[in-house]
Amino acid sequence: MQPSGMVTSDDASLTDHVHENSWSANLETPDHAEDRQLVTEQAVEAVAKTASGHHVNLVTHGDHGHPESYLYAVLDERFDERIDYEYVEQCGCGGHVTRVHVH
């Protein structure tokens, strides 16, 4: 599954601007499969680069399992009450989609 508006990254930075719309961040590349810390760092970056009133779909690699087991606590610690998130689905490829709403 590749949600529309998917942003991919070939370098350390996921995005260089604040998204004034809802968008998707691809965190399921081979580099992400090998490095859970990269997934969490770029997930935090993606949420930070999402304008208030919009959401970002975090598409995480299936090799790390359900994002509840490693990502949700990081998001809670970093953003506290400024976000809400919901698990959307597991893709056919094994990845997971979490939608993070920014207040």
Side-chain angles (χ1 to χ4, degrees):
M1 173 184 187
Q2 280 217 328
S4 62
M6 178 78 73
V7 173
T8 60
S9 174
D10 293 330
D11 59 26
S13 179
L14 186 65
T15 183
D16 62 352
H17 67 281
V18 173
H19 290 261
E20 299 279 341
N21 60 341
S22 296
W23 64 292
S24 296
N26 180 7
L27 306 174
E28 60 176 351
T29 69
D31 287 341
H32 292 101
E34 295 175 11
D35 189 350
R36 182 183 281 184
Q37 183 173 344
L38 177 64
V39 173
T40 58
E41 288 171 358
Q42 289 191 340
V44 166
E45 178 185 357
V47 173
K49 297 283 183 136
T50 303
S52 178
H54 300 283
H55 72 264
V56 58
N57 292 316
L58 303 175
V59 185
T60 55
H61 203 285
D63 284 2
H64 300 299
H66 195 289
E68 181 178 37
S69 68
Y70 66 93
L71 181 58
Y72 294 178
V74 172
L75 295 175
D76 287 338
E77 182 178 316
R78 175 66 169 78
F79 297 103
D80 195 33
E81 301 285 321
R82 295 177 288 160
I83 65 166
D84 290 315
Y85 50 83
E86 63 183 300
Y87 182 76
V88 177
E89 69 180 336
Q90 183 170 16
C91 308
C93 64
H96 298 270
V97 181
T98 299
R99 181 166 294 145
V100 181
H101 300 271
V102 179
H103 303 289

